Amino acid sequence: MSEPMEIKRRSFFAVAAAAVAAVQLGGLEGAFAQGTTANETPAGSAPVKFSALKEIKAGVLNVQYAEDGPRDGPPVILLHGWPYDIYSYVEVAPILAAAGYRVIAPFFRGYGGTRFLSGKTPRNGQQAALAQDIIDLMDALKIERAVIAGYDWGARTADIVAALRPDRCKALVSVSGYLIGSQEINKKPLPPKAELAWWYQFYFTTERGQEGYDANRHDFNKLIWQLASPKWKFSDATYDRSAASFENPDHVAIVIHNYRWRLDLAKGETKYDALEEKLAKLPSIEVPTITIEGDANGAPHPEPAAYASRFRGKYEHRNFTGGIGHNPPQEAPAEFAKAVIDADRL
């Protein structure tokens, strides 16, 4: 093991150990002050990986996921975005595990080792389908309620579960706040500058875009990382660790359908119609919630004041500073882990 890697591992596990001590003493501020911000992999070192991945049949999927912490601990489910994967949480998970939580980080449909059980199942990326996948996963793992946290697609999915199934969501952490949408709302044109920020969505509406994404997904998604988090100095090795998950055979179909469905250019499955009808009404979220925004988020996102009223339970908003972009759990893992624990205690 190289010296830089050893230093990173010592720092990494020191944060987890500090979290244990802090929880035992009833305080967390000192423990999480040690956390990294604007995370960067040291030169010449290999990025940390989850020690082992698990699989379970859940709904229409065989879900691949990482798990950490005691099996009898209070469950936390961590949801990634596009174009990212579960390695957004590789430094968050051991902090939460050290604090006594059972941590589950699943690959969404179309990512990593998650596979459809049947070739006949539509490769559907609509918001209700992703949310149902998480309920199905909780059922398969016999998890009644969990703290659910996410960003990007993961935040939207977590918001949906919290809004429609508060009996399954104990508390919520959502980056960029309230992201539930509807096809009708998405039909309304945005100001030109806002439309420009969604350039990739329009690219994906074309056959050229689908073919281009398929042919260039590695470089395409790396560009998205750079644009969405302009101050995050991630290494090629860190990116490549996640890029492997984009080789899933259903990845392109899921991504393209997700963005086309939003603009009502692709149909969803009728079995999700009732859920989408509820979501189109923009239901409020009643569970305890902490929302997060990074001070250098280069991706399209709403202002916190625009969504605060959607959260009707105990609520807190946090701004992550220091150049934090669109992927706070990977860019500021200790601060994100603290938000999860604090949401559970609201």
Side-chain angles (χ1 to χ4, degrees):
M1 180 180 294
S2 66
E3 182 178 354
M5 182 60 177
E6 180 62 27
I7 292 172
K8 182 174 179 65
R9 287 180 64 84
R10 285 200 299 268
S11 175
F12 179 50
F13 289 109
V15 173
V20 173
V23 170
Q24 291 173 341
L25 293 173
L28 289 166
E29 295 299 331
F32 292 101
Q34 301 181 47
T36 57
T37 299
N39 173 41
E40 180 177 3
T41 305
S45 67
V48 176
K49 289 192 174 183
F50 288 111
S51 59
L53 298 177
K54 298 181 178 181
E55 296 183 2
I56 191 168
K57 291 181 180 179
V60 299
L61 301 172
N62 187 66
V63 179
Q64 187 178 55
Y65 64 99
E67 181 170 0
D68 200 355
R71 286 188 60 82
D72 61 348
V76 172
I77 298 175
L78 304 175
L79 303 178
H80 68 82
W82 171 84
Y84 306 90
D85 75 341
I86 64 173
Y87 282 101
S88 292
Y89 297 107
V90 73
E91 294 190 46
V92 173
I95 299 173
L96 295 176
Y101 289 92
R102 180 189 182 189
V103 183
I104 306 292
F107 285 106
F108 275 135
R109 53 172 63 191
Y111 294 80
T114 294
R115 297 289 189 273
F116 286 90
L117 297 175
S118 171
K120 297 180 180 179
T121 303
R123 274 37 180 177
N124 178 359
Q126 73 181 104
Q127 60 180 359
L130 271 65
Q132 186 60 53
D133 288 346
I134 300 308
I135 295 298
D136 291 340
L137 176 62
M138 294 176 69
D139 289 344
L141 293 172
K142 295 180 171 38
I143 293 175
E144 291 298 323
R145 297 181 76 211
V147 178
I148 306 178
Y151 68 98
D152 195 84
W153 287 21
R156 180 176 296 105
T157 304
D159 287 348
I160 292 170
V161 176
L164 299 187
R165 294 299 306 271
D167 57 313
R168 307 302 296 271
C169 182
K170 183 180 180 184
L172 170 69
V173 174
S174 180
V175 176
S176 297
Y178 190 93
L179 298 180
I180 298 172
S182 74
Q183 291 174 321
E184 193 62 33
I185 291 174
N186 289 338
K187 289 178 182 178
K188 184 178 181 180
L190 300 173
K193 188 175 181 179
E195 295 282 19
L196 177 62
W198 287 103
W199 65 271
Y200 53 87
Q201 179 170 254
F202 299 114
Y203 183 64
F204 289 158
T205 66
T206 68
E207 290 308 302
R208 177 187 177 91
Q210 180 169 344
E211 292 176 9
Y213 184 61
D214 192 10
N216 302 293
R217 69 185 84 170
H218 181 279
D219 292 347
F220 190 104
N221 289 341
K222 190 171 187 178
L223 175 62
I224 296 295
W225 279 36
Q226 293 164 340
L227 295 175
S229 299
K231 296 186 178 182
W232 180 27
K233 306 302 181 183
F234 59 87
S235 69
D236 288 344
T238 294
Y239 174 73
D240 289 342
R241 178 183 59 187
S242 290
S245 74
F246 311 146
E247 296 305 313
N248 182 296
D250 300 308
H251 177 75
V252 173
I254 295 297
V255 172
I256 296 300
H257 186 270
N258 178 282
Y259 287 101
R260 291 183 181 179
W261 179 87
R262 296 187 197 192
L263 297 178
D264 199 18
L265 298 176
K267 298 301 181 183
E269 292 177 79
T270 56
K271 67 179 181 179
Y272 299 116
D273 285 353
L275 291 177
E276 293 296 353
E277 288 177 10
K278 294 178 181 178
L279 295 174
K281 297 176 183 178
L282 304 182
S284 61
I285 293 175
E286 309 285 345
V287 305
T289 299
I290 291 177
T291 57
I292 293 168
E293 192 53 76
D295 64 342
N297 186 358
H301 62 277
E303 291 298 320
Y307 56 70
S309 63
R310 298 289 180 187
F311 299 95
R312 302 294 180 83
K314 295 180 180 179
Y315 175 71
E316 179 183 333
H317 178 76
R318 296 183 180 181
N319 291 311
F320 281 13
T321 61
I324 304 304
H326 191 58
N327 181 4
Q330 197 162 358
E331 298 176 57
E335 292 84 351
F336 191 89
K338 185 177 188 302
V340 172
I341 294 174
D342 289 348
D344 188 30
R345 296 179 174 182
L346 284 178

